[in-house]
Amino acid sequence: GAGVSQTPSNKVTEKGKYVELRCDPISGHTALYWYRQSLGQGPEFLIYFQGTGAADDSGLPNDRFFAVRPEGSVSTLKIQRTERGDSAVYLCASSRYASGGAVVTDTQYFGPGTRLTVL
Amino acid sequence: DAKTTQPPSMDCAEGRAANLPCNHSTISGNEYVYWYRQIHSQGPQYIIHGLKNNETNEMASLIITEDRKSSTLILPHATLRDTAVYYCIEAGANNLFFGTGTRLTVIP
């Protein structure tokens, strides 16, 4: 079946601009996650959604970053006033469910990522 | 954040078994050990996970010590396409903490 898809695959923007990155999760997956990966590092958690609500946004670096998932499927990560330090690969993952505070969670499946370059 | 310890790099001859170790001494009793890998310029790929029993699937085997403080991922017959960064993760919360992983290079 179709996996997680992300668009665009590459995005080049200028410092100070606004960008939107899109994620289409696996059909039927209720949980959706965003991660960011800088060069030479492992992915770092940003935010996750259970359905339409952001259940944990503790990884968002500052208030320039925002994400929505209005219908519980597609999600958009929005970055305002981009800075050169925002340059990274932004990864999206989905899982069938996410445990509500308990330890066990379901396997996350990742998309190919969006490479964001801020000039 | 829950953290694991992995060697930064390993080499393995093509066709031989690749054994990738991981220490997770802080793991809690109900936290799973997950393994992902990331081939250059791709998103992380799920490999296998386990709680306390050894696990095997079509990609790999996972051996977890009885005290659960360490585990080994085994790729039984490594191929050149297995060259990647392998991440061992304590899945304690809904966000995965990846660390820097082990860069496995399969040598022809």
Side-chain angles (χ1 to χ4, degrees):
Chain A
V4 177
S5 62
Q6 293 185 245
T7 54
S9 56
N10 282 284
K11 176 71 177 178
V12 180
T13 190
E14 294 178 342
K15 180 176 179 295
K17 299 288 188 183
Y18 168 83
V19 296
E20 291 189 351
L21 312 178
R22 176 187 169 109
C23 172
D24 282 81
I26 293 171
S27 178
H29 280 195
T30 63
L32 184 146
Y33 313 78
W34 285 98
Y35 292 79
R36 178 170 73 172
Q37 186 170 24
S38 301
L39 192 63
Q41 303 296 315
E44 296 178 320
F45 169 78
L46 296 176
I47 185 172
Y48 99 87
F49 291 85
Q50 178 70 304
T52 60
D56 182 352
D57 64 358
S58 62
L60 295 178
N62 52 60
D63 61 5
R64 294 186 298 105
F65 288 74
F66 189 72
V68 296
R69 195 185 184 202
E71 298 178 357
S73 178
V74 171
S75 176
T76 304
L77 178 66
K78 309 181 181 193
I79 310 175
Q80 298 177 321
R81 304 183 304 280
T82 53
E83 300 177 357
R84 293 193 180 88
D86 299 335
S87 296
V89 175
Y90 289 81
L91 294 160
C92 177
S94 70
S95 66
R96 289 178 299 173
Y97 58 84
S99 54
V103 174
V104 177
T105 189
D106 194 34
T107 299
Q108 297 180 28
Y109 295 93
F110 284 79
T114 293
R115 181 175 298 278
L116 175 66
T117 303
V118 182
L119 301 177
Chain B
D1 291 328
K3 289 189 176 182
T4 59
T5 304
Q6 300 178 253
S9 63
M10 292 181 62
D11 292 340
C12 177
E14 186 179 17
R16 305 295 293 269
N19 298 282
L20 291 90
C22 177
N23 289 324
H24 32 78
S25 57
T26 61
I27 196 168
S28 300
N30 52 359
E31 289 180 319
Y32 280 74
V33 177
Y34 270 77
W35 283 83
Y36 283 80
R37 73 180 182 184
Q38 192 169 25
I39 296 169
H40 183 62
S41 297
Q42 298 182 21
Q45 178 189 24
Y46 165 76
I47 301 173
I48 197 168
H49 72 284
L51 185 61
K52 47 184 158 183
N53 297 321
N54 298 337
E55 301 288 344
T56 295
N57 62 21
E58 65 278 4
M59 289 184 68
S61 294
L62 175 60
I63 309 297
I64 302 174
T65 58
E66 191 169 344
D67 64 7
R68 303 212 323 123
K69 293 184 183 300
S70 65
S71 62
T72 301
L73 179 75
I74 301 172
L75 307 178
H77 306 286
T79 71
L80 298 180
R81 288 178 295 179
D82 292 323
T83 292
V85 178
Y86 287 76
Y87 296 99
C88 167
I89 300 164
E90 294 177 17
N94 290 301
N95 47 311
L96 301 177
F97 185 83
F98 277 80
T100 53
T102 295
R103 180 173 298 277
L104 175 69
T105 302
V106 180
I107 303 169

